[in-house]
Amino acid sequence: MAHSHTMLNSMLDNDFYKFTMQHAVFKLFPKAKAKYEFINRGKHHFPPGFADELRISINSMASLHLTREEKKYLKDTCPYLDPTYLDFLQGYRYDPDEILISQEDTNLSVKITGYWYRTILWEVPIMSLISELYYKLHHLQGDSDEQIIKRAKSKIEQYKKLGVTIAEFGTRRRHAYHTHRLVVQTLKQFGDMSFIGTSNVHMAMLNQTKPIGTHAHEWFMFHAAKYGFKMANRLGLEHWVNVYRGDLGIALSDTYTTDVFFSQFDKMFTKLFDGVRHDSGDPLDFADKTIAHYKSKGIDPLSKTIIFSDGLNYEKVERIAKHCQGKIGISFGIGTNFTNDVNLEPMNIVIKMIEAYPEEAYWTPVVKLSDVKGKYTGDPAMIKLSKTILGIND
């Protein structure tokens, strides 16, 4: 069965925001710890022996390391990453002991625990391995390479006609590494001015394009565990600015709902950040709120950008583009619809930070309140507390 193993073949086969956050954590919170957990939202059934195969794939990641070419690429492409961090990354090795995997019948359990600056890199590769192994071990055959290329080409050509810029954000739930590679090559080949890059650093390097991303929900979730819900957005942004001084300027807005975010996104942040990322709730409502926020601060919304990244396909992108035209800058991050459109059901899975341990505290449950009413994740008592503190009534 040796041939069925699915291996990662680059340390950079991960989303860019994991490295940018790791760099910031490495600088600011070197003693903090984190716990993450796999959540099977789609109630997928895992075949017998799945956990063992996943364990083999994860164990093999221990031998990955940053190559000299990869280090040079990061140094040249991302000058805001400190040389000390790049040296650290060169010495970094995945430690499979940080992962607990078990399987009962068709249910899979994956838990990650350790220092935050280390464990932060696991989520994306593990999700992509779970996704790829799922199709492999279920013997599910997707489309041919020709069909995959043809479909990606026709998509990017449609987006070009719309006149929008598109980035590929689909590492976590890709059909397979091979599919991902074909798709990004195709987007690059036929995307001209429309395709602006990928969130996957390895794919960006292979295709000589820029990696795209800033930070994720866990950045703000940790800040809540350390400083409390009221200060989480503000200090999360403040610390980001302290590390990046204006680089990587797209702020994620929905960790504790967009309304709370904008109430704390003061004039300095509003001016300093290039824009915001939309990741949940109605995109047109979000666009209107964002435009109104910029206007209320006396800033021309056309000088700023919204990056939309929530479950997009052509119809959604077209609707958003029409709505925002001439009002505010826009760009789109498209994930699963690019990397897992092969005539198989894409998986609905996530890996979320569930607890954080700031160095002078204790294990604290963390929560995420998205802009979808009731689509809150985390400990129910903590969700209730956060809503009380932030004055969210729904």
Side-chain angles (χ1 to χ4, degrees), residues 124-187:
V124 176
I126 289 180
M127 281 182 65
S128 66
L129 287 169
I130 289 173
S131 187
E132 185 160 351
L133 280 167
Y134 180 83
Y135 301 114
K136 203 178 257 188
L137 297 182
H138 271 306
H139 307 292
L140 295 166
Q141 211 46 51
D143 287 337
S144 68
D145 288 3
E146 290 72 36
Q147 287 165 304
I148 288 167
I149 290 168
K150 194 175 153 198
R151 194 172 289 136
K153 176 175 187 265
S154 109
K155 280 180 191 173
I156 196 65
E157 283 171 348
Q158 276 186 293
Y159 289 127
K160 256 195 315 206
K161 283 200 192 101
L162 258 190
V164 293
T165 56
I166 303 281
E168 178 276 309
F169 279 15
T171 307
R172 298 183 311 162
R173 289 180 282 260
R174 66 189 179 195
H175 164 249
Y177 171 81
H178 176 73
T179 311
H180 193 177
R181 227 176 133 154
L182 284 179
V183 166
V184 179
Q185 275 166 357
T186 307
L187 296 175

Side-chain angles (χ1 to χ4, degrees), residues 301-320:
L302 283 166
S303 68
K304 300 293 183 180
T305 301
I306 302 176
I307 296 191
F308 293 92
S309 63
D310 180 29
L312 298 175
N313 55 29
Y314 181 80
E315 290 68 40
K316 286 184 190 173
V317 169
E318 185 182 33
R319 204 174 94 238
I320 295 166

Side-chain angles (χ1 to χ4, degrees), residues 354-372:
I354 52 162
E355 289 182 53
Y357 190 117
E359 63 186 271
E360 64 297 307
Y362 43 85
W363 283 110
T364 309
V366 294
V367 300
K368 173 179 156 236
L369 314 177
S370 80
D371 282 332
V372 181

Side-chain angles (χ1 to χ4, degrees), residues 5 12 33 42 86 88-89 99 115 123 212 217 229 239 250 255-256 329 343 372-373:
H5 300 330
L12 295 185
K33 293 182 180 138
L86 296 182
F88 155 75
L89 196 58
I99 316 287
Y115 282 113
E123 171 195 345
I212 292 179
H217 295 108
F229 292 110
H239 286 144
I250 297 290
T255 313
Y256 302 110
N343 269 323
V372 181
K373 294 275 178 267

Side-chain angles (χ1 to χ4, degrees), residues 19 26 39 42 78 119 145 153 162 168 181 220 230 287 293 316 319 333 363 390:
F19 298 107
F26 172 77
I39 302 164
C78 316
T119 52
D145 288 3
K153 176 175 187 265
L162 258 190
E168 178 276 309
R181 227 176 133 154
F220 298 100
K230 275 209 156 75
H293 176 78
K316 286 184 190 173
R319 204 174 94 238
W363 283 110
L390 295 169

Side-chain angles (χ1 to χ4, degrees), residues 64-84:
L64 287 173
H65 60 93
L66 193 72
T67 66
R68 289 172 70 150
E69 297 76 38
E70 288 172 335
K71 189 181 184 186
K72 184 180 183 322
Y73 169 77
L74 288 176
K75 183 172 170 279
D76 296 346
T77 316
C78 316
Y80 40 77
L81 296 175
D82 293 341
T84 47

Side-chain angles (χ1 to χ4, degrees), residues 81-283:
L81 296 175
D82 293 341
T84 47
Y85 168 69
L86 296 182
D87 285 350
F88 155 75
L89 196 58
Q90 198 173 18
Y92 176 93
R93 296 294 178 272
Y94 280 107
D95 177 3
D97 288 345
E98 292 165 350
I99 316 287
L100 270 178
I101 308 172
S102 62
Q103 182 173 358
E104 261 181 57
D105 302 326
T106 59
N107 298 316
L108 178 71
S109 162
V110 182
K111 292 180 162 69
I112 306 165
T113 310
Y115 282 113
W116 189 24
Y117 78 87
R118 295 190 46 82
T119 52
I120 199 163
L121 289 190
W122 280 115
E123 171 195 345
V124 176
I126 289 180
M127 281 182 65
S128 66
L129 287 169
I130 289 173
S131 187
E132 185 160 351
L133 280 167
Y134 180 83
Y135 301 114
K136 203 178 257 188
L137 297 182
H138 271 306
H139 307 292
L140 295 166
Q141 211 46 51
D143 287 337
S144 68
D145 288 3
E146 290 72 36
Q147 287 165 304
I148 288 167
I149 290 168
K150 194 175 153 198
R151 194 172 289 136
K153 176 175 187 265
S154 109
K155 280 180 191 173
I156 196 65
E157 283 171 348
Q158 276 186 293
Y159 289 127
K160 256 195 315 206
K161 283 200 192 101
L162 258 190
V164 293
T165 56
I166 303 281
E168 178 276 309
F169 279 15
T171 307
R172 298 183 311 162
R173 289 180 282 260
R174 66 189 179 195
H175 164 249
Y177 171 81
H178 176 73
T179 311
H180 193 177
R181 227 176 133 154
L182 284 179
V183 166
V184 179
Q185 275 166 357
T186 307
L187 296 175
K188 167 87 174 165
Q189 192 181 342
F190 300 103
D192 302 334
M193 304 306 286
S194 194
F195 176 65
I196 53 168
T198 164
S199 62
N200 185 296
V201 189
H202 171 63
M203 299 292 172
M205 181 173 162
L206 289 177
N207 292 281
Q208 277 137 23
T209 164
K210 270 196 159 85
I212 292 179
T214 52
H215 47 240
H217 295 108
E218 65 180 289
W219 180 252
F220 298 100
M221 288 156 74
F222 173 83
H223 277 77
K226 188 166 166 74
Y227 303 106
F229 292 110
K230 275 209 156 75
M231 297 304 290
N233 281 325
R234 191 164 291 155
L235 285 172
L237 295 170
E238 190 93 34
H239 286 144
W240 197 254
V241 171
N242 291 345
V243 174
Y244 290 113
R245 316 303 303 166
D247 271 313
L248 301 176
I250 297 290
L252 180 59
S253 55
D254 69 337
T255 313
Y256 302 110
T257 76
T258 292
D259 293 342
V260 168
F261 175 85
F262 279 136
S263 74
Q264 301 177 339
F265 200 50
D266 67 13
K267 188 150 189 175
M268 183 190 88
F269 290 139
T270 303
K271 283 188 147 178
L272 189 59
F273 279 85
D274 302 322
V276 290
R277 177 156 78 90
H278 168 264
D279 199 48
S280 68
D282 184 294

